[in-house]
Amino acid sequence: MTETKAVKSEQTRALIVQTALRLFRERGYEATTMRAIAKEAGVSVGNAYYYYGSKEELIQAYYDELQDEHVAACRAVLDSETAFAPRLLGVLRARVDTMVPYHEFAGKFFKFAAEPTSPLNPFSAESGPARDSAVAIYREVVEGSDLKIDKEFRKELPELLWIYSMGIVLYWVHDNSPGCRKTYLLVERTVPLVNRMVAMSRLPGFKSVTRELVGIIREVRA
């Protein structure tokens, strides 16, 4: 009985999230109320608030769901490749693959996520779990690769790659090409550049620059 109840609870939770995303796409994030979400999902307003205390929590659930999809989509390349560039390319392609179905919604929603004080901002404290999960993917890209670089730079590289991926996401939001073709092209053309820059960090003339970069990152983070 308890297991059946748990399954039903997860189904209700998923239904509320999917209904909210549909209404956000159709009516806009600002115009969609929790009452409207509950009505469309066929649950009481109190039940909707039981699962999600606000619209912001629903978006965080969307972040988590999208992140889970990305992790699953990355598995094949991360389990089969050891070279850094193919691992990074596969992970970024998978990122775009999982985002494409939400492209129309992302364009309407971006102005809220871009607000520095918004809990929906990917750099906010509320987005911390999804952000940590995303950085963990890039940590796996680095740690599972054959990269031979300075160990301190190696520690910071996953977060730098996540920031690079956020630039890809920003471009994708504004990409109106069919099937987001230009975003895929951007990924394919920039990964080799990133690979070369990372490889150059091993060269004697660049080691001091790399260490300075690591110092700046840690100082800003503190």
Short mmCIF file of all heavy atoms in Angstrom, two decimals, residues 42-98:
data_model
loop_
_atom_site.label_atom_id
_atom_site.label_comp_id
_atom_site.label_asym_id
_atom_site.label_seq_id
_atom_site.Cartn_x
_atom_site.Cartn_y
_atom_site.Cartn_z
N GLY A 42 -5.67 18.94 -12.66
CA GLY A 42 -6.74 18.17 -12.03
C GLY A 42 -6.49 17.86 -10.57
O GLY A 42 -6.94 16.82 -10.06
N VAL A 43 -5.76 18.75 -9.89
CA VAL A 43 -5.51 18.57 -8.45
C VAL A 43 -5.96 19.83 -7.74
O VAL A 43 -6.16 20.88 -8.36
CB VAL A 43 -4.01 18.29 -8.16
CG1 VAL A 43 -3.54 17.05 -8.88
CG2 VAL A 43 -3.15 19.50 -8.54
N SER A 44 -6.12 19.73 -6.43
CA SER A 44 -6.51 20.90 -5.66
C SER A 44 -5.34 21.87 -5.55
O SER A 44 -4.17 21.47 -5.68
CB SER A 44 -6.97 20.49 -4.26
OG SER A 44 -5.86 20.00 -3.51
N VAL A 45 -5.63 23.13 -5.29
CA VAL A 45 -4.57 24.12 -5.12
C VAL A 45 -3.68 23.74 -3.93
O VAL A 45 -2.46 23.83 -3.99
CB VAL A 45 -5.17 25.53 -4.90
CG1 VAL A 45 -4.06 26.55 -4.62
CG2 VAL A 45 -5.98 25.96 -6.11
N GLY A 46 -4.33 23.26 -2.87
CA GLY A 46 -3.57 22.83 -1.70
C GLY A 46 -2.64 21.68 -2.01
O GLY A 46 -1.50 21.64 -1.50
N ASN A 47 -3.09 20.77 -2.85
CA ASN A 47 -2.25 19.63 -3.23
C ASN A 47 -1.06 20.10 -4.07
O ASN A 47 0.06 19.59 -3.91
CB ASN A 47 -3.09 18.62 -4.03
CG ASN A 47 -2.51 17.22 -3.95
OD1 ASN A 47 -1.72 16.92 -3.07
ND2 ASN A 47 -2.92 16.36 -4.87
N ALA A 48 -1.32 21.06 -4.97
CA ALA A 48 -0.23 21.60 -5.78
C ALA A 48 0.83 22.25 -4.89
O ALA A 48 2.04 22.04 -5.08
CB ALA A 48 -0.77 22.62 -6.78
N TYR A 49 0.39 23.01 -3.91
CA TYR A 49 1.32 23.67 -2.99
C TYR A 49 2.01 22.67 -2.06
O TYR A 49 3.10 22.93 -1.56
CB TYR A 49 0.61 24.74 -2.17
CG TYR A 49 0.52 26.08 -2.86
CD1 TYR A 49 -0.70 26.59 -3.31
CD2 TYR A 49 1.66 26.85 -3.06
CE1 TYR A 49 -0.78 27.81 -3.94
CE2 TYR A 49 1.60 28.08 -3.69
CZ TYR A 49 0.38 28.57 -4.13
OH TYR A 49 0.31 29.78 -4.76
N TYR A 50 1.36 21.53 -1.84
CA TYR A 50 1.98 20.48 -1.01
C TYR A 50 3.27 19.97 -1.68
O TYR A 50 4.28 19.74 -1.02
CB TYR A 50 1.00 19.33 -0.82
CG TYR A 50 1.60 18.11 -0.16
CD1 TYR A 50 1.81 18.07 1.22
CD2 TYR A 50 1.97 16.99 -0.92
CE1 TYR A 50 2.38 16.95 1.82
CE2 TYR A 50 2.54 15.88 -0.34
CZ TYR A 50 2.73 15.87 1.04
OH TYR A 50 3.30 14.75 1.64
N TYR A 51 3.21 19.84 -3.00
CA TYR A 51 4.37 19.33 -3.73
C TYR A 51 5.36 20.43 -4.07
O TYR A 51 6.57 20.21 -4.02
CB TYR A 51 3.91 18.63 -5.02
CG TYR A 51 3.22 17.31 -4.77
CD1 TYR A 51 1.84 17.19 -4.85
CD2 TYR A 51 3.97 16.17 -4.44
CE1 TYR A 51 1.21 15.97 -4.62
CE2 TYR A 51 3.34 14.95 -4.21
CZ TYR A 51 1.97 14.86 -4.30
OH TYR A 51 1.35 13.65 -4.06
N TYR A 52 4.83 21.60 -4.43
CA TYR A 52 5.70 22.71 -4.84
C TYR A 52 5.19 24.00 -4.21
O TYR A 52 4.07 24.42 -4.47
CB TYR A 52 5.73 22.85 -6.37
CG TYR A 52 6.29 21.62 -7.04
CD1 TYR A 52 5.45 20.67 -7.63
CD2 TYR A 52 7.67 21.39 -7.08
CE1 TYR A 52 5.96 19.52 -8.22
CE2 TYR A 52 8.18 20.25 -7.67
CZ TYR A 52 7.33 19.33 -8.24
OH TYR A 52 7.84 18.19 -8.82
N GLY A 53 6.03 24.62 -3.43
CA GLY A 53 5.61 25.81 -2.68
C GLY A 53 5.47 27.06 -3.51
O GLY A 53 4.90 28.05 -3.05
N SER A 54 5.98 27.05 -4.74
CA SER A 54 5.92 28.24 -5.59
C SER A 54 6.23 27.85 -7.04
O SER A 54 6.67 26.73 -7.32
CB SER A 54 6.95 29.27 -5.12
OG SER A 54 8.27 28.76 -5.28
N LYS A 55 6.02 28.81 -7.92
CA LYS A 55 6.38 28.59 -9.33
C LYS A 55 7.89 28.41 -9.47
O LYS A 55 8.36 27.66 -10.33
CB LYS A 55 5.91 29.76 -10.19
CG LYS A 55 4.41 29.85 -10.36
CD LYS A 55 4.03 30.81 -11.46
CE LYS A 55 4.44 32.24 -11.15
NZ LYS A 55 3.98 33.18 -12.21
N GLU A 56 8.64 29.12 -8.63
CA GLU A 56 10.09 28.99 -8.67
C GLU A 56 10.53 27.56 -8.37
O GLU A 56 11.46 27.04 -9.00
CB GLU A 56 10.74 29.96 -7.68
CG GLU A 56 10.71 31.42 -8.09
CD GLU A 56 9.36 32.07 -7.81
OE1 GLU A 56 8.48 31.41 -7.19
OE2 GLU A 56 9.17 33.23 -8.21
N GLU A 57 9.85 26.91 -7.43
CA GLU A 57 10.18 25.52 -7.12
C GLU A 57 9.87 24.61 -8.30
O GLU A 57 10.57 23.61 -8.53
CB GLU A 57 9.42 25.06 -5.87
CG GLU A 57 9.96 25.64 -4.57
CD GLU A 57 9.34 25.01 -3.34
OE1 GLU A 57 8.72 23.92 -3.47
OE2 GLU A 57 9.46 25.60 -2.26
N LEU A 58 8.84 24.94 -9.05
CA LEU A 58 8.51 24.15 -10.24
C LEU A 58 9.62 24.28 -11.29
O LEU A 58 9.97 23.29 -11.95
CB LEU A 58 7.18 24.63 -10.83
CG LEU A 58 5.93 24.11 -10.13
CD1 LEU A 58 4.72 24.94 -10.51
CD2 LEU A 58 5.69 22.64 -10.49
N ILE A 59 10.18 25.47 -11.43
CA ILE A 59 11.27 25.65 -12.38
C ILE A 59 12.52 24.91 -11.92
O ILE A 59 13.25 24.33 -12.72
CB ILE A 59 11.58 27.15 -12.58
CG1 ILE A 59 10.39 27.84 -13.26
CG2 ILE A 59 12.84 27.35 -13.41
CD1 ILE A 59 10.09 27.31 -14.65
N GLN A 60 12.76 24.92 -10.60
CA GLN A 60 13.90 24.16 -10.08
C GLN A 60 13.71 22.67 -10.37
O GLN A 60 14.68 21.96 -10.68
CB GLN A 60 14.06 24.40 -8.58
CG GLN A 60 14.46 25.81 -8.19
CD GLN A 60 15.79 26.25 -8.77
OE1 GLN A 60 16.63 25.42 -9.11
NE2 GLN A 60 15.99 27.55 -8.90
N ALA A 61 12.47 22.19 -10.29
CA ALA A 61 12.18 20.79 -10.62
C ALA A 61 12.44 20.54 -12.10
O ALA A 61 12.95 19.47 -12.49
CB ALA A 61 10.73 20.46 -10.29
N TYR A 62 12.13 21.53 -12.94
CA TYR A 62 12.43 21.44 -14.37
C TYR A 62 13.94 21.37 -14.59
O TYR A 62 14.43 20.56 -15.39
CB TYR A 62 11.81 22.63 -15.09
CG TYR A 62 12.44 22.98 -16.42
CD1 TYR A 62 12.29 22.14 -17.52
CD2 TYR A 62 13.18 24.16 -16.57
CE1 TYR A 62 12.86 22.48 -18.75
CE2 TYR A 62 13.75 24.49 -17.78
CZ TYR A 62 13.59 23.65 -18.86
OH TYR A 62 14.17 23.98 -20.06
N TYR A 63 14.69 22.21 -13.89
CA TYR A 63 16.16 22.16 -13.97
C TYR A 63 16.66 20.76 -13.63
O TYR A 63 17.52 20.21 -14.32
CB TYR A 63 16.79 23.15 -12.99
CG TYR A 63 16.74 24.61 -13.36
CD1 TYR A 63 17.02 25.59 -12.43
CD2 TYR A 63 16.44 25.02 -14.66
CE1 TYR A 63 17.00 26.94 -12.75
CE2 TYR A 63 16.40 26.36 -15.00
CZ TYR A 63 16.68 27.32 -14.03
OH TYR A 63 16.66 28.65 -14.35
N ASP A 64 16.13 20.21 -12.54
CA ASP A 64 16.57 18.89 -12.09
C ASP A 64 16.23 17.81 -13.12
O ASP A 64 17.05 16.92 -13.39
CB ASP A 64 15.92 18.54 -10.75
CG ASP A 64 16.41 19.42 -9.61
OD1 ASP A 64 17.49 20.03 -9.75
OD2 ASP A 64 15.71 19.51 -8.58
N GLU A 65 15.04 17.91 -13.69
CA GLU A 65 14.60 16.92 -14.69
C GLU A 65 15.48 17.01 -15.93
O GLU A 65 15.91 15.98 -16.48
CB GLU A 65 13.14 17.19 -15.04
CG GLU A 65 12.56 16.20 -16.04
CD GLU A 65 11.08 16.47 -16.30
OE1 GLU A 65 10.31 16.50 -15.34
OE2 GLU A 65 10.73 16.65 -17.48
N LEU A 66 15.76 18.24 -16.37
CA LEU A 66 16.60 18.44 -17.54
C LEU A 66 18.02 17.93 -17.29
O LEU A 66 18.65 17.32 -18.16
CB LEU A 66 16.63 19.92 -17.91
CG LEU A 66 17.22 20.30 -19.27
CD1 LEU A 66 16.45 19.65 -20.41
CD2 LEU A 66 17.23 21.82 -19.43
N GLN A 67 18.49 18.14 -16.05
CA GLN A 67 19.82 17.68 -15.70
C GLN A 67 19.90 16.16 -15.70
O GLN A 67 20.88 15.56 -16.15
CB GLN A 67 20.22 18.22 -14.32
CG GLN A 67 21.67 18.02 -13.95
CD GLN A 67 22.61 18.64 -14.95
OE1 GLN A 67 22.35 19.71 -15.50
NE2 GLN A 67 23.71 17.97 -15.24
N ASP A 68 18.86 15.51 -15.18
CA ASP A 68 18.81 14.04 -15.19
C ASP A 68 18.83 13.51 -16.63
O ASP A 68 19.50 12.50 -16.91
CB ASP A 68 17.55 13.54 -14.47
CG ASP A 68 17.61 13.75 -12.96
OD1 ASP A 68 18.73 13.99 -12.44
OD2 ASP A 68 16.56 13.68 -12.31
N GLU A 69 18.09 14.18 -17.51
CA GLU A 69 18.08 13.76 -18.92
C GLU A 69 19.47 13.92 -19.53
O GLU A 69 19.91 13.07 -20.31
CB GLU A 69 17.07 14.61 -19.70
CG GLU A 69 15.61 14.31 -19.36
CD GLU A 69 14.65 15.20 -20.12
OE1 GLU A 69 15.09 15.84 -21.11
OE2 GLU A 69 13.48 15.28 -19.73
N HIS A 70 20.14 14.99 -19.18
CA HIS A 70 21.49 15.22 -19.72
C HIS A 70 22.46 14.16 -19.23
O HIS A 70 23.26 13.63 -20.01
CB HIS A 70 21.97 16.62 -19.31
CG HIS A 70 23.28 16.99 -19.93
ND1 HIS A 70 24.18 17.83 -19.31
CD2 HIS A 70 23.86 16.64 -21.11
CE1 HIS A 70 25.25 17.97 -20.08
NE2 HIS A 70 25.08 17.26 -21.18
N VAL A 71 22.41 13.84 -17.95
CA VAL A 71 23.29 12.81 -17.39
C VAL A 71 23.10 11.49 -18.13
O VAL A 71 24.07 10.82 -18.51
CB VAL A 71 23.03 12.62 -15.88
CG1 VAL A 71 23.75 11.39 -15.36
CG2 VAL A 71 23.48 13.85 -15.11
N ALA A 72 21.84 11.12 -18.36
CA ALA A 72 21.56 9.86 -19.06
C ALA A 72 22.05 9.91 -20.50
O ALA A 72 22.61 8.93 -21.01
CB ALA A 72 20.05 9.59 -19.04
N ALA A 73 21.88 11.06 -21.15
CA ALA A 73 22.29 11.19 -22.56
C ALA A 73 23.81 11.18 -22.72
O ALA A 73 24.31 10.88 -23.80
CB ALA A 73 21.72 12.48 -23.14
N CYS A 74 24.54 11.52 -21.65
CA CYS A 74 26.01 11.56 -21.70
C CYS A 74 26.66 10.20 -21.50
O CYS A 74 27.85 10.02 -21.80
CB CYS A 74 26.55 12.48 -20.59
SG CYS A 74 26.21 14.21 -20.84
N ARG A 75 25.92 9.26 -20.96
CA ARG A 75 26.52 8.02 -20.52
C ARG A 75 27.30 7.29 -21.61
O ARG A 75 28.40 6.80 -21.37
CB ARG A 75 25.44 7.08 -19.99
CG ARG A 75 25.09 7.12 -18.57
CD ARG A 75 26.04 6.66 -17.50
NE ARG A 75 27.44 6.94 -17.56
CZ ARG A 75 28.04 7.96 -16.93
NH1 ARG A 75 27.35 8.83 -16.25
NH2 ARG A 75 29.34 8.13 -17.00
N ALA A 76 26.73 7.21 -22.80
CA ALA A 76 27.38 6.44 -23.87
C ALA A 76 28.77 6.98 -24.17
O ALA A 76 29.74 6.21 -24.23
CB ALA A 76 26.52 6.45 -25.12
N VAL A 77 28.89 8.30 -24.35
CA VAL A 77 30.20 8.85 -24.70
C VAL A 77 31.17 8.79 -23.53
O VAL A 77 32.36 8.50 -23.71
CB VAL A 77 30.06 10.30 -25.23
CG1 VAL A 77 29.63 11.26 -24.13
CG2 VAL A 77 31.38 10.77 -25.86
N LEU A 78 30.70 9.01 -22.32
CA LEU A 78 31.58 8.98 -21.16
C LEU A 78 32.06 7.58 -20.84
O LEU A 78 33.15 7.40 -20.28
CB LEU A 78 30.88 9.59 -19.94
CG LEU A 78 30.61 11.10 -20.02
CD1 LEU A 78 29.84 11.57 -18.79
CD2 LEU A 78 31.90 11.90 -20.19
N ASP A 79 31.27 6.57 -21.19
CA ASP A 79 31.66 5.18 -20.94
C ASP A 79 32.54 4.60 -22.03
O ASP A 79 33.15 3.55 -21.83
CB ASP A 79 30.40 4.30 -20.79
CG ASP A 79 29.65 4.58 -19.50
OD1 ASP A 79 30.22 5.23 -18.60
OD2 ASP A 79 28.49 4.15 -19.39
N SER A 80 32.63 5.28 -23.17
CA SER A 80 33.37 4.69 -24.30
C SER A 80 34.59 5.48 -24.74
O SER A 80 35.50 4.93 -25.34
CB SER A 80 32.44 4.52 -25.50
OG SER A 80 31.93 5.78 -25.93
N GLU A 81 34.64 6.77 -24.43
CA GLU A 81 35.73 7.62 -24.88
C GLU A 81 36.69 7.96 -23.73
O GLU A 81 36.26 8.12 -22.58
CB GLU A 81 35.19 8.94 -25.45
CG GLU A 81 34.54 8.80 -26.81
CD GLU A 81 35.57 8.65 -27.93
OE1 GLU A 81 36.78 8.72 -27.66
OE2 GLU A 81 35.14 8.45 -29.07
N THR A 82 37.96 8.07 -24.05
CA THR A 82 38.94 8.53 -23.05
C THR A 82 39.62 9.83 -23.48
O THR A 82 40.15 10.54 -22.63
CB THR A 82 40.03 7.46 -22.83
OG1 THR A 82 40.66 7.16 -24.07
CG2 THR A 82 39.45 6.20 -22.22
N ALA A 83 39.59 10.16 -24.76
CA ALA A 83 40.19 11.41 -25.22
C ALA A 83 39.31 12.58 -24.79
O ALA A 83 38.08 12.52 -24.87
CB ALA A 83 40.35 11.40 -26.74
N PHE A 84 39.95 13.66 -24.34
CA PHE A 84 39.23 14.80 -23.76
C PHE A 84 38.26 15.43 -24.75
O PHE A 84 37.09 15.65 -24.42
CB PHE A 84 40.24 15.84 -23.27
CG PHE A 84 39.61 17.13 -22.81
CD1 PHE A 84 38.88 17.19 -21.64
CD2 PHE A 84 39.76 18.30 -23.57
CE1 PHE A 84 38.30 18.37 -21.21
CE2 PHE A 84 39.20 19.49 -23.15
CZ PHE A 84 38.46 19.53 -21.97
N ALA A 85 38.72 15.75 -25.97
CA ALA A 85 37.88 16.47 -26.93
C ALA A 85 36.59 15.71 -27.29
O ALA A 85 35.50 16.29 -27.24
CB ALA A 85 38.67 16.82 -28.19
N PRO A 86 36.66 14.40 -27.63
CA PRO A 86 35.42 13.68 -27.93
C PRO A 86 34.47 13.60 -26.72
O PRO A 86 33.25 13.62 -26.89
CB PRO A 86 35.90 12.28 -28.33
CG PRO A 86 37.30 12.49 -28.81
CD PRO A 86 37.84 13.57 -27.94
N ARG A 87 35.04 13.50 -25.53
CA ARG A 87 34.20 13.46 -24.32
C ARG A 87 33.45 14.79 -24.16
O ARG A 87 32.23 14.81 -23.93
CB ARG A 87 35.05 13.19 -23.07
CG ARG A 87 35.57 11.76 -22.99
CD ARG A 87 36.57 11.59 -21.85
NE ARG A 87 35.96 11.64 -20.53
CZ ARG A 87 35.37 10.60 -19.93
NH1 ARG A 87 35.30 9.43 -20.55
NH2 ARG A 87 34.84 10.72 -18.73
N LEU A 88 34.17 15.88 -24.30
CA LEU A 88 33.54 17.20 -24.16
C LEU A 88 32.53 17.44 -25.27
O LEU A 88 31.41 17.93 -25.01
CB LEU A 88 34.62 18.28 -24.17
CG LEU A 88 34.13 19.73 -24.04
CD1 LEU A 88 33.35 19.93 -22.75
CD2 LEU A 88 35.29 20.70 -24.12
N LEU A 89 32.90 17.09 -26.50
CA LEU A 89 31.98 17.27 -27.62
C LEU A 89 30.70 16.48 -27.42
O LEU A 89 29.59 16.99 -27.63
CB LEU A 89 32.67 16.83 -28.92
CG LEU A 89 31.85 16.96 -30.21
CD1 LEU A 89 31.48 18.40 -30.48
CD2 LEU A 89 32.64 16.38 -31.39
N GLY A 90 30.82 15.23 -26.99
CA GLY A 90 29.64 14.39 -26.77
C GLY A 90 28.74 14.93 -25.69
O GLY A 90 27.50 14.91 -25.81
N VAL A 91 29.34 15.43 -24.62
CA VAL A 91 28.55 15.96 -23.50
C VAL A 91 27.82 17.24 -23.91
O VAL A 91 26.65 17.44 -23.57
CB VAL A 91 29.47 16.23 -22.28
CG1 VAL A 91 28.78 17.12 -21.25
CG2 VAL A 91 29.87 14.91 -21.64
N LEU A 92 28.48 18.10 -24.66
CA LEU A 92 27.83 19.34 -25.10
C LEU A 92 26.75 19.07 -26.14
O LEU A 92 25.68 19.71 -26.12
CB LEU A 92 28.87 20.30 -25.65
CG LEU A 92 29.79 20.94 -24.60
CD1 LEU A 92 30.89 21.74 -25.25
CD2 LEU A 92 28.98 21.83 -23.65
N ARG A 93 26.99 18.15 -27.04
CA ARG A 93 25.94 17.78 -28.00
C ARG A 93 24.72 17.23 -27.27
O ARG A 93 23.58 17.55 -27.60
CB ARG A 93 26.47 16.73 -28.97
CG ARG A 93 27.27 17.28 -30.14
CD ARG A 93 27.79 16.15 -30.98
NE ARG A 93 28.48 16.59 -32.18
CZ ARG A 93 29.28 15.81 -32.89
NH1 ARG A 93 29.49 14.55 -32.53
NH2 ARG A 93 29.87 16.29 -33.97
N ALA A 94 24.97 16.39 -26.27
CA ALA A 94 23.88 15.81 -25.49
C ALA A 94 23.12 16.90 -24.75
O ALA A 94 21.89 16.83 -24.59
CB ALA A 94 24.42 14.78 -24.50
N ARG A 95 23.84 17.93 -24.30
CA ARG A 95 23.21 19.05 -23.62
C ARG A 95 22.22 19.75 -24.55
O ARG A 95 21.08 20.02 -24.17
CB ARG A 95 24.28 20.04 -23.15
CG ARG A 95 23.74 21.27 -22.43
CD ARG A 95 23.03 20.86 -21.17
NE ARG A 95 22.70 22.01 -20.35
CZ ARG A 95 21.78 21.98 -19.40
NH1 ARG A 95 21.10 20.87 -19.17
NH2 ARG A 95 21.53 23.04 -18.67
N VAL A 96 22.64 20.00 -25.77
CA VAL A 96 21.75 20.65 -26.73
C VAL A 96 20.59 19.72 -27.09
O VAL A 96 19.44 20.16 -27.16
CB VAL A 96 22.53 21.07 -28.00
CG1 VAL A 96 21.58 21.77 -28.98
CG2 VAL A 96 23.68 22.00 -27.64
N ASP A 97 20.88 18.44 -27.28
CA ASP A 97 19.82 17.47 -27.60
C ASP A 97 18.70 17.51 -26.57
O ASP A 97 17.52 17.49 -26.93
CB ASP A 97 20.39 16.05 -27.63
CG ASP A 97 21.28 15.78 -28.83
OD1 ASP A 97 21.22 16.55 -29.81
OD2 ASP A 97 22.04 14.78 -28.79
N THR A 98 19.06 17.56 -25.30
CA THR A 98 18.04 17.52 -24.24
C THR A 98 17.31 18.85 -24.09
O THR A 98 16.19 18.89 -23.58
CB THR A 98 18.66 17.13 -22.90
OG1 THR A 98 19.74 18.02 -22.57
CG2 THR A 98 19.19 15.71 -22.93
#
